[in-house]
Amino acid sequence: MTRSLPLAVLLLVVGQLGRAAEIPADWAFHAPTAQPVPRVTAKADVRTPVDAFVLAKLEAAKLAFAAPAEKRTLIRRVTFDLTGLPPTPDEIDTFLKDNSPDAYEKVVDRLLASPRFGERAALFWLDVARYAESNGFKSDEARPTAWRYRDYVIQSFNADKPYDRFVLEQLAGDELFPDNPAAVIATGFLRHFPYESNAINVEQRRQDYLNDITDATTAAFLGLTVACAKCHDHKTDPITQRDYYRTQAFFAGFQPVEAPLGTAAELAEREKKLKDWEEKTAAVRKQMEAIERPIREKAMAKERFRFPEEYSRLLDVPVEKRTPLERQIAFLVEQQVNGRQKISATQMKGPEREKWEGMAKQMAELSKEKPGDPQTAMVMSDSGPVAPPTHLLKRGDWRKPAAEVPPGFLSEIDDRDADVKPTARGTTGRRAALAKWLVTEDNPLTARVMVNRIWQQLFGRGIVATPSDFGSTGDRPTHPELLDWLARDFQHPAPLPGEKAVPAWSMKHVYRLIVTSAVYRQSGIADHGRKADPDNALLWRMPRKRLDGEALRDAMLAVSGQLNLKAGGPSIYPDLPEELTKSGAYGWKPSADPTDRSRRSVYVAVRRNMRYPLFALFDSPDRNEVCARRFVSTTAPQALTLLNDGLVIGYAKKLAVRVEKDAGTDPDKAIDRAFTLAIGRAPDTEEHAAARGFLDNHSAQPSTAIADLCHALLNLNEFLYVD
């Protein structure tokens, strides 16, 4: 006889099914509707409209907000959330002493205006953009100009660039704003796919790159897992295989390039100087080229031999006679054939070598007059005004093309082909058409997805807990009416009290709206809703969040007085654990300037095959694909690293030096100062007694004892978590 499930379990299952049924599976494909702000009983608890929506759900469950967080907790929370750094003791004291009604709002405005805001907000977008500064695969070659995209994202958040413009630039900045260097750099979003630099089957690799671009774009901006439809119609969502490939058709003309940066006048002036220099050096260069040609041709022949004849022969076809697809295939082959031509005197013999070396010295002198190379950025363009055809692929196999499909939109949202016109700059215009469609007011997903990402950053979990899967297999929104209201307010914002006129799609407005709400400002210490809502989905208290690896490193640098706030520029290489430095296999050479090694974590080089160990330990992604939400694991190596790693111990020693400098030799003052710097408060009586006893027991080595105390403070949950 089969035993039935316990009644409590059945009720739970049925209840969950019932709640899921209230929200249809295709909810996300329908435009957000205008939502009236709910009327609630606890009107005094409503600071922004956000609170009314959350309270309405709580009151229906006979719950209420937790008590407001105390001021010291609140400033630590909002400072970490908006800047990724701990508040300084002076900032805490100023806030505690400010009894004005808008004291907290002044803190929020200061943090949103800080350059540190963009550095923090950018981190989450870089996860979504699968940003990396190396190719991945076995060779993992560096991408020396990729950092310009990172700086673009930081600057965009700091400038409160409207999100619709942010989208347009990343998908089609070169087509829509070709004279704006920042917009061209923004197309680096499309360049962050892993790249196998020595691939032989370049046609297969081309398809892999197109798949990555399609999947990343739809996940980032639409919050959908369309990748499931590359082989067949999506099993659960209304996305057909035809939808997948006509979305991919927008990118079919893709051409990765290193674009020169500068105004048209600057580039034209350099071109003129370069032409004059080339005329002056033409004779010498011609003679050197004559000697180098057979060596180069031999090297090229060796490289060409690696490829199937159908690919290598394209190098002999003039560019203007290649088909659009042949241009792309030839480009991928040329990257390898031409990229491995290295000429040196060791490849020559006798008089020929002497002649070449003499001319090389002459060219070295003449090169001093050559105009410097312009700065470049890793960006995306098109191979020409006509894109290769896009076909449905049987089972997703690039070798089995079926019917050709034009660029078009997702049929469940807008079942039509795109109206595409080539641009005056020689690109297809396809990416511009897609970008414009994404930010149309009636697109049901774009605004919802971005406000949900911001909500997730601040609460640890989005209103939709699967931020890049708004489909039927993703989680349903816990507060669908609030999500719709936020999405519409994002597009047509209503200024908050004290807020000036707000432009449409203002990201800072969404941050301000949420962090000034009562739901964000409530305490994380509460137990009244645990039985009714054990997962805190209704937000009857503020969720506790652990620092990610980047914020943890920045916090240790900040409290130890070492943090270098220099912004932007090429990435930095901090010191590595000794075992990695010795191995040499995956390590790196630390930045030459020691102060650069202490810059913010967002500026640390992102290598796919060698993540910075502390970041990897605390769940940073490898950036091989879109990461919409980081895991938060709890493992023994995390604790062991914080207790034993030489770099962490070094931070503690630097903090101890700062404590002794500020407090002198008085142990009681040293204890108070260590607590204040590390966790933003004075020790309580029990903590002070324990710390004093420890220092007294190690009075023979006071500096070492203070360093040990500081090390202990860096391991406290109060340092590692934000309440």
Side-chain angles (χ1 to χ4, degrees):
M1 180 177 178
T2 303
R3 293 182 61 188
S4 62
L5 289 172
L7 178 61
V9 174
L10 283 171
L11 288 172
L12 179 63
V13 171
V14 172
Q16 291 296 332
L17 290 174
R19 281 192 285 276
E22 293 174 6
I23 304 174
D26 64 347
W27 68 272
F29 293 92
H30 302 287
T33 57
Q35 298 290 337
V37 178
R39 295 182 178 181
V40 295
T41 302
K43 296 178 182 178
D45 290 340
V46 176
R47 292 181 177 273
T48 76
V50 167
D51 299 320
F53 286 98
V54 177
L55 271 171
K57 291 272 188 180
L58 287 172
E59 290 182 351
K62 298 183 179 179
L63 295 172
F65 284 149
E70 59 99 17
K71 292 183 75 173
R72 195 181 298 274
T73 298
L74 188 57
I75 190 172
R76 177 176 165 83
R77 177 191 300 168
V78 74
T79 305
F80 264 114
D81 280 346
L82 295 185
T83 70
L85 294 170
T88 67
D90 287 344
E91 289 169 346
I92 295 173
D93 287 344
T94 299
F95 180 53
L96 294 179
K97 293 174 182 176
D98 188 348
N99 295 316
S100 60
D102 62 344
Y104 176 68
E105 283 74 12
K106 287 187 286 188
V107 170
V108 171
D109 289 342
R110 171 177 59 80
L111 296 173
L112 289 173
S114 167
R116 312 286 80 80
F117 166 73
E119 292 169 339
R120 180 58 178 170
L123 183 66
F124 302 97
W125 186 260
L126 295 175
D127 281 356
V128 171
R130 77 259 188 253
Y131 166 78
E133 297 170 63
S134 66
N135 287 337
F137 290 96
K138 183 177 180 180
S139 300
D140 202 34
E141 297 97 333
R143 296 174 170 177
T145 62
W147 60 268
R148 295 190 191 280
Y149 175 80
R150 176 207 66 210
D151 282 3
Y152 160 81
V153 175
I154 293 171
Q155 291 159 8
S156 295
F157 276 101
N158 277 334
D160 197 19
K161 180 172 289 182
Y163 183 67
D164 58 343
R165 174 75 181 226
F166 190 58
V167 174
L168 292 172
E169 290 179 346
Q170 291 182 83
L171 294 182
D174 61 316
E175 294 189 320
L176 296 171
F177 318 105
D179 296 320
N180 184 330
V184 175
I185 290 171
T187 62
F189 172 87
L190 300 170
R191 284 290 309 276
H192 294 307
F193 48 79
Y195 179 77
E196 189 173 13
S197 62
N198 60 352
I200 301 301
N201 194 336
V202 292
E203 199 167 357
Q204 180 182 4
R205 293 261 59 95
R206 172 189 177 271
Q207 186 59 47
D208 290 341
Y209 303 149
L210 278 171
N211 289 347
D212 175 278
I213 294 169
T214 306
D215 300 348
T217 299
T218 49
F221 300 111
L222 292 173
L224 294 175
T225 58
V226 302
C228 300
K230 65 166 61 78
C231 300
H232 48 70
D233 290 352
H234 203 292
K235 295 295 186 183
T236 56
D237 292 339
I239 301 171
T240 66
Q241 190 185 25
R242 180 171 175 268
D243 285 340
Y244 183 85
Y245 286 104
R246 66 178 186 170
T247 300
Q248 189 170 102
F250 286 109
F251 307 107
F254 81 106
Q255 180 74 62
V257 295
E258 282 289 327
L261 301 177
T263 65
E266 289 170 343
L267 295 176
E269 177 64 19
R270 182 192 176 275
E271 192 65 27
K272 179 179 180 301
K273 291 180 179 179
L274 180 61
K275 186 176 180 180
D276 293 342
W277 180 85
E278 288 175 342
E279 290 177 357
K280 182 177 180 179
T281 59
V284 180
R285 289 186 296 107
K286 184 176 181 180
Q287 293 178 61
M288 292 184 71
E289 199 277 332
I291 297 174
E292 294 170 358
R293 187 184 304 118
I295 301 170
R296 184 174 286 110
E297 288 176 350
K298 183 179 179 180
M300 290 177 65
K302 182 179 179 180
E303 287 299 322
R304 287 178 60 150
F305 184 74
R306 297 170 55 243
F307 293 93
E309 194 273 336
E310 62 183 298
Y311 295 157
S312 61
R313 70 171 179 79
L314 295 176
L315 303 186
D316 301 322
V317 179
V319 174
E320 63 274 10
K321 292 187 178 181
R322 296 172 185 166
T323 67
L325 178 59
E326 287 174 342
R327 286 195 198 122
Q328 291 180 330
I329 299 301
F331 171 82
L332 293 172
V333 174
E334 285 168 344
Q335 293 293 101
Q336 298 186 50
V337 171
N338 297 338
R340 290 173 169 81
Q341 300 173 27
K342 295 182 180 180
I343 305 296
S344 69
T346 59
Q347 298 167 289
M348 307 166 197
K349 296 180 180 179
E352 190 176 69
R353 175 171 178 168
E354 292 178 9
K355 183 179 179 181
W356 186 88
E357 287 180 325
M359 288 187 294
K361 290 180 181 178
Q362 187 179 354
M363 279 301 300
E365 287 299 315
L366 290 170
S367 293
K368 295 176 181 178
E369 303 174 22
K370 184 180 180 180
D373 292 333
Q375 293 183 331
T376 62
M378 188 183 83
V379 303
M380 186 65 82
S381 187
D382 286 340
S383 59
V386 179
T390 299
H391 295 269
L392 289 175
L393 300 180
K394 295 179 181 178
R395 306 301 299 174
D397 190 337
W398 63 276
R399 295 164 297 188
K400 297 178 180 179
E404 183 177 343
V405 292
F409 309 115
L410 296 181
S411 56
E412 184 69 9
I413 299 174
D414 185 359
D415 191 9
R416 62 186 175 89
D417 295 337
D419 182 17
V420 175
K421 294 181 177 63
T423 70
R425 299 291 181 115
T427 61
T428 64
R430 293 185 175 198
R431 289 176 289 111
L434 174 63
K436 290 178 180 178
W437 177 77
L438 285 173
V439 297
T440 53
E441 189 169 326
D442 54 355
N443 188 304
L445 287 162
T446 307
R448 275 178 173 147
V449 168
M450 189 55 188
V451 296
N452 187 66
R453 293 195 193 283
I454 295 174
W455 187 277
Q456 175 185 278
Q457 178 189 339
L458 298 172
F459 287 96
R461 179 173 63 186
I463 297 173
V464 176
T466 51
S468 282
D469 185 3
F470 275 42
S472 59
T473 57
D475 285 7
R476 299 291 191 275
T478 55
H479 298 76
E481 298 83 6
L482 172 58
L483 184 62
D484 278 9
W485 186 91
L486 284 169
R488 290 176 66 90
D489 185 70
F490 191 25
Q491 295 173 307
H492 302 286
L496 295 166
E499 191 177 30
K500 297 178 181 178
V502 182
W505 299 94
S506 167
M507 291 186 277
K508 283 190 178 182
H509 170 74
V510 179
Y511 279 97
R512 183 181 286 107
L513 182 67
I514 296 172
V515 300
T516 57
S517 67
V519 62
Y520 179 85
R521 295 165 68 165
Q522 64 184 325
S523 174
I525 303 173
D527 201 48
H528 63 283
R530 191 169 300 279
K531 284 188 177 180
D533 180 26
D535 291 332
N536 193 30
L538 299 180
L539 293 172
W540 45 268
R541 63 172 175 82
M542 184 64 186
R544 195 184 204 199
K545 303 190 295 292
R546 194 185 67 195
L547 298 182
D548 51 61
E550 290 86 344
L552 178 58
R553 174 179 173 272
D554 288 350
M556 289 190 288
L557 285 168
V559 301
S560 63
Q562 298 178 87
L563 185 63
N564 177 359
L565 292 176
K566 178 183 175 183
S571 293
I572 56 103
Y573 294 85
D575 293 309
L576 291 170
E578 186 177 351
E579 56 271 23
L580 276 177
T581 305
K582 285 181 177 179
S583 73
Y586 295 105
W588 58 48
K589 184 179 180 181
S591 297
D593 184 347
T595 62
D596 274 347
R597 302 174 204 169
S598 298
R599 291 179 61 197
R600 289 206 67 179
S601 297
V602 73
Y603 298 116
V604 172
V606 181
R607 302 299 300 269
R608 283 197 162 108
N609 289 4
M610 214 302 287
R611 285 176 289 169
Y612 186 62
L614 184 67
F615 302 165
L617 189 65
F618 284 89
D619 308 303
S620 71
D622 61 16
R623 301 269 177 83
N624 276 301
E625 57 187 4
V626 171
C627 176
R629 181 182 179 186
R630 296 187 180 191
F631 293 110
V632 181
S633 65
T634 302
T635 65
Q638 292 167 347
L640 292 171
T641 295
L642 293 177
L643 287 169
N644 299 296
D645 183 75
L647 295 176
V648 176
I649 293 171
Y651 295 138
K653 289 179 178 178
K654 290 291 186 180
L655 174 56
V657 170
R658 187 180 180 190
V659 167
E660 289 190 282
K661 180 181 177 181
D662 293 349
T665 58
D666 186 313
D668 292 323
K669 290 182 179 179
I671 292 167
D672 287 345
R673 189 58 177 163
F675 270 78
T676 301
L677 288 173
I679 57 177
R681 65 168 177 83
D684 61 28
T685 303
E686 185 178 347
E687 290 168 333
H688 192 283
R692 181 59 193 264
F694 177 81
L695 294 185
D696 289 345
N697 288 335
H698 297 81
S699 57
Q701 295 179 307
S703 295
T704 301
I706 292 174
D708 287 343
L709 170 62
C710 291
H711 191 194
L713 291 172
L714 298 185
N715 279 268
L716 285 180
N717 275 352
E718 196 170 344
F719 183 82
L720 302 173
Y721 286 82
V722 177
D723 291 318

